[in-house]
């Protein structure tokens, strides 16, 4: 809950949007990520050890997914029930064993698109060096936000490891930095609020981000690219539109497009 006046909220958003590193009142402090350091993972935890250089990169420092109709197949504003563990659907997790492939909200089943599952399984296997993941969604209502977070806590990447475990638990040490919703200080415009806040929280430059969005309710990809730019490079996040959901091809396209952008910037063949 945010108790600040409207003036303080607007002031804080301006601070984030101009890449100021001063503390904004509504932001939860987060330690600066060190992207030159190999991930330190517990040997007795559920995650494999980090393997630097396992892929062909360069890879994004931060991969940002929209949720509705992009990361998964439902629109949260159309649903009415918060998901719980008593009503899940088990099935094959892309050959990794049986786990939670769907969660029910009333009579509607929420499932990850195949590209989303592959992306997170690759991430779980540490194929992208020090890449981290988060979500930027303009869910319409507070209930839609709650349904979304409840689904993230139940849907699994590999058996026994939920999306939430991987993204919030491993990537951000248990801190929920995801920007989900449009209640203040967020809005329906991700370029104006979601991404400036993520830039401030994560300290990841815009031009080192990769963003996927279905763009069915507005060109979020175009707006983020145009508005959220680094002054030094003049570039914003690499973006990929997923009007039919995040599939295998769109995931591969995003990685390829990001690598090409970075190589062009560095004049590398």
């Amino acid at each position: 809950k945010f108790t600040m006046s409207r003036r303080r909220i607007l002031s804080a958003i301006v601070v984030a949007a101009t890449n100021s590193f001063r503390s904004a009142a509504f932001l939860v402090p987060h330690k600066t990520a060190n992207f030159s350091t190999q991930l330190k993972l517990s040997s007795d935890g559920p995650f494999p050890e980090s393997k630097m250089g396992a892929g062909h990169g360069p890879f994004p420092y931060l991969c940002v997914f929209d949720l509705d109709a992009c990361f998964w197949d439902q629109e949260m504003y159309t649903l009415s029930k918060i998901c719980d563990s008593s009503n899940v659907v088990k099935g094959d997790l892309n050959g990794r064993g049986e786990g939670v492939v769907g969660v029910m909200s009333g009579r509607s089943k929420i499932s990850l698109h195949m590209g989303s599952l592959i992306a997170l399984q690759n991430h779980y296997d540490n194929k992208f060096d020090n890449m981290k993941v988060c979500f930027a969604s303009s869910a319409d209502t507070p209930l839609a936000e709650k349904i979304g977070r409840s689904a993230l806590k139940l849907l699994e990447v590999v058996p026994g490891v939920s999306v939430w475990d991987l993204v919030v638990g491993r990537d951000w040490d248990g801190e929920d930095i995801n920007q989900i919703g449009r209640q203040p200080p967020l809005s329906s415009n991700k370029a104006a609020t979601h991404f400036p806040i993520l830039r401030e929280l994560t300290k990841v430059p815009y031009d080192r981000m990769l963003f996927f969005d279905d763009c069915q309710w507005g060109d979020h990809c175009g707006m983020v690219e145009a508005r959220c730019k680094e002054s030094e490079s003049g570039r914003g996040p690499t973006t990929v539109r997923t009007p039919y959901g995040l599939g295998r091809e769109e995931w591969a396209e995003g990685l390829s497009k990001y690598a090409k952008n970075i190589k062009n910037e560095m004049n590398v063949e």
Side-chain angles (χ1 to χ4, degrees):
K1 295 181 179 179
F2 299 97
T3 59
M4 297 184 298
S5 68
R6 185 175 182 181
R7 179 177 297 176
R8 291 181 64 197
I9 292 171
L10 292 173
S11 176
I13 291 175
V14 169
V15 170
T18 54
N19 293 339
S20 169
F21 291 100
R22 294 172 294 181
S23 296
F26 64 84
L27 297 174
V28 178
H30 189 275
K31 61 185 180 183
T32 302
N34 183 352
F35 294 100
S36 65
T37 304
Q38 182 171 330
L39 287 171
K40 303 297 184 182
L41 304 178
S42 172
S43 60
D44 59 357
F47 304 111
E49 293 294 328
S50 178
K51 298 178 181 179
M52 294 296 292
H56 297 290
F59 299 115
Y61 296 168
L62 183 66
C63 185
V64 185
F65 296 102
D66 171 46
L67 289 174
D68 295 358
C70 175
F71 186 70
W72 51 39
D73 57 0
Q74 294 289 343
E75 295 271 9
M76 296 301 101
Y77 79 93
T78 67
L79 308 179
S80 59
K81 300 290 184 182
I82 295 174
C83 309
D84 63 65
S85 59
S86 68
N87 206 354
V88 300
V89 179
K90 295 288 188 73
D92 176 66
L93 287 167
N94 191 36
R96 302 291 288 264
E98 185 181 78
V100 179
V101 298
V103 292
M104 303 303 297
S105 174
R107 296 183 178 181
S108 299
K109 179 167 72 76
I110 306 167
S111 296
L112 302 185
H113 283 296
M114 181 53 70
S116 306
L117 180 58
I118 291 171
L120 290 195
Q121 287 182 339
N122 290 166
H123 181 47
Y124 171 85
D125 293 333
N126 289 301
K127 292 186 176 181
F128 308 122
D129 297 343
N130 290 312
M131 186 186 84
K132 295 188 177 186
V133 170
C134 69
F135 302 102
S137 168
S138 53
D140 293 67
T141 66
L143 177 59
E145 296 173 30
K146 292 176 181 178
I147 293 172
R149 282 190 164 87
S150 69
L152 292 172
K153 292 175 181 178
L154 294 169
L155 289 166
E156 292 185 336
V157 178
V158 295
V161 178
S162 71
V163 175
W164 192 269
D165 292 335
L166 177 62
V167 174
V168 177
R170 189 183 81 173
D171 284 3
W172 304 106
D173 298 324
E175 183 179 335
D176 180 8
I177 65 114
N178 301 299
Q179 301 303 308
I180 301 174
R182 58 179 63 191
Q183 311 305 310
L186 298 178
S187 71
S188 61
N189 187 340
K190 297 177 186 179
T193 53
H194 296 63
F195 272 82
I197 293 173
L198 286 174
R199 175 68 172 83
E200 179 76 7
L201 286 175
T202 67
K203 306 299 188 258
V204 176
Y206 288 129
D207 57 10
R208 294 303 186 264
M209 298 181 185
L210 173 60
F211 175 44
F212 296 88
D213 195 293
D214 65 286
C215 295
Q216 294 187 59
W217 298 98
D219 187 10
H220 292 293
C221 287
M223 290 187 287
V224 166
E225 278 188 345
R227 180 165 180 167
C228 302
K229 294 183 178 182
E230 291 297 319
S231 58
E232 185 173 342
S233 68
R235 293 198 306 105
T238 297
T239 68
V240 176
R241 295 167 180 81
T242 63
Y244 304 106
L246 180 57
R248 298 171 184 265
E249 295 79 9
E250 289 81 6
W251 173 237
E253 177 190 349
L255 293 177
S256 176
K257 187 176 179 181
Y258 176 86
K260 182 178 180 180
N261 286 342
I262 297 301
K263 289 176 181 178
N264 286 342
E265 177 184 313
M266 296 179 175
N267 295 314
V268 175
E269 293 293 333

